[in-house]
């Protein structure tokens, strides 16, 4: 039989030991050990509860109250240390993962379309708005599509101007995008309204105005009743859209084997005296219409060919065609 005084003594000593032990807890494992030692089902406080039954009945209530207070004190100590440990671990993590927002950022350079692509797309958009379709074709062409079908027979002196890089006896890198129009006409019945943008090749020695690789946009419209007046309107509209409202345009005589008549087109900036050549054009030669299976007595057509590099050079006052393919960032990033 225990006495309440013995119990009180034990409570005091456990309370002191518990207080002391709690103050030294510095890890989750130590916290758990503390819980088991004092608060667990087989812990020191539970052991004292077991003694209650051996006290005289009139003292059990008072003793129970003291034990409950001891248990509450233990729970409080446990909860307080648990909270401190958690806060310590959070602040440790915060200091480890600290982000210094004042550090300079990491530079991710953003690319953009090459000037030639931008200009080509702008030209495409102007003609798309006028109802033309965009057609494309192979860069390696047959002699037939590149020359014969365009009224440039083998051994004809006109071929010299376009003779280009041959792949084998009958295939070459296309010197213009006209073969695409030949393919379109052979595949479809009139009316035909297309533009053919793309890369072309010529056996030119490179200088400020010549490049063996360049880009062209050719236009073709074949339908009943088309005349040079319609061609003039379409080109004038393009000049105003691409260069500006105040620009003048004029046509003068020229020669191409695939157009008759053939013209050279010039434009003049508002207030300027100088005329600048912008493209060659003309009415599609009846021989070409016949070759693709059209009846030149029924339909007429017109075509033009312009250089994308030349358009970009005129627009931005660039004086050397070589800059387009040199990939010098000092040039490329200006646009
Ligand atoms: C130039 C001249 C031109 C054409 C291209 C063409 C195409 C067919 C039929 C008739 Cl399928 N013509 N294209 C016509 C006239 C001129 O280009 O100096 N371009 C840079």
């Amino acid at each position: 039989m225990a006495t309440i005084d013995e119990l009180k003594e034990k409570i005091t000593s456990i309370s002191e030991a518990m207080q002391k032990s709690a103050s030294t807890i510095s890890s989750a494992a130590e916290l758990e050990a503390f819980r088991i030692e004092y608060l667990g089902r087989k812990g020191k406080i539970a052991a004292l509860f077991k003694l209650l039954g051996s006290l005289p009945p009139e003292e059990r209530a008072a003793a129970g109250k003291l034990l409950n207070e001891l248990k509450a004190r233990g729970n409080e100590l446990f909860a307080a240390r648990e909270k401190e440990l958690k806060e310590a671990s959070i602040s440790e993590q915060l200091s480890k993962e600290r982000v210094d927002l004042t550090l300079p950022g990491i530079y991710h350079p953003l690319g953009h379309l090459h000037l030639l692509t931008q200009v080509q797309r702008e030209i495409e958009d102007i003609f798309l708005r006028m109802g033309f379709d965009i057609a494309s074709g192979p860069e390696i062409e047959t002699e037939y599509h590149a020359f014969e079908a365009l009224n440039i027979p083998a051994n004809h002196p006109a071929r010299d101007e376009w003779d280009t890089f041959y792949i084998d006896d009958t295939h070459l890198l296309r010197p213009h995008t006209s073969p695409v129009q030949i393919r379109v006409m052979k595949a479809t019945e009139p009316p035909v309204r297309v533009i053919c943008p793309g890369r072309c090749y010529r056996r030119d020695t490179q200088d400020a105005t010549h490049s063996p690789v360049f880009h062209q946009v050719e236009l073709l419209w074949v339908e009943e009743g088309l005349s040079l007046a319609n061609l003039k309107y379409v080109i004038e509209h393009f000049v105003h859209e691409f260069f500006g409202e105040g620009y003048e345009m004029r046509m003068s005589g020229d020669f191409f084997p695939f157009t008759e008549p053939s013209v050279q087109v010039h434009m003049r900036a508002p207030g300027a005296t100088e005329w600048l050549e912008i493209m060659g054009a003309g009415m599609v030669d009846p021989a070409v219409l016949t070759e693709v299976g059209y009846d030149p007595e029924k339909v007429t057509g017109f075509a033009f060919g312009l250089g994308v590099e030349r358009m970009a050079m005129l627009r931005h006052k660039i004086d050397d065609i070589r800059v387009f393919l040199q990939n010098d960032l000092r040039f490329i990033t200006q646009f």
Side-chain angles (χ1 to χ4, degrees), residues 246-271:
Y247 277 74
E248 297 171 89
M249 71 86 87
R250 73 170 190 198
M251 302 200 302
S252 52
D254 203 341
F255 171 79
F256 301 110
F258 32 80
T259 46
E260 183 59 36
S262 304
V263 296
Q264 216 176 83
V265 182
H266 289 87
M267 67 166 191
R268 185 160 67 178

Side-chain angles (χ1 to χ4, degrees), residues 150 161-162 176 178-182 185 202 214 216 218-220 256 258-259 262-263 277-285 288 302-307:
L150 286 158
E161 193 189 333
W162 287 280
H176 40 208
S178 320
V180 182
Q181 284 117 291
I182 296 294
M185 285 191 285
R202 279 184 201 179
F214 63 101
Q216 228 193 3
E218 284 207 20
L219 172 143
L220 175 75
F256 301 110
F258 32 80
T259 46
S262 304
V263 296
E277 190 185 340
I278 53 167
M279 63 176 83
M283 300 304 294
V284 178
D285 196 293
V288 176
F302 57 74
F304 71 63
L306 60 78

Side-chain angles (χ1 to χ4, degrees), residues 2 16 19-20 59 109 156 207 216 230 240 242 247 266:
E16 278 167 8
Q19 180 90 34
K20 214 171 143 197
E59 290 180 335
H156 191 281
D207 64 23
Q216 228 193 3
N230 302 115
H240 291 161
F242 187 79
Y247 277 74
H266 289 87

Side-chain angles (χ1 to χ4, degrees), residues 27 36 86 91 97 100 125 144 163 167 183 213 231 245 313:
S27 71
I36 292 167
K86 195 176 263 177
S91 63
E97 296 176 4
D100 185 351
D125 286 343
Y144 171 77
D163 251 358
I167 303 294
R183 290 173 182 281
V213 179
L231 171 63
E245 275 305 325
M313 289 168 80

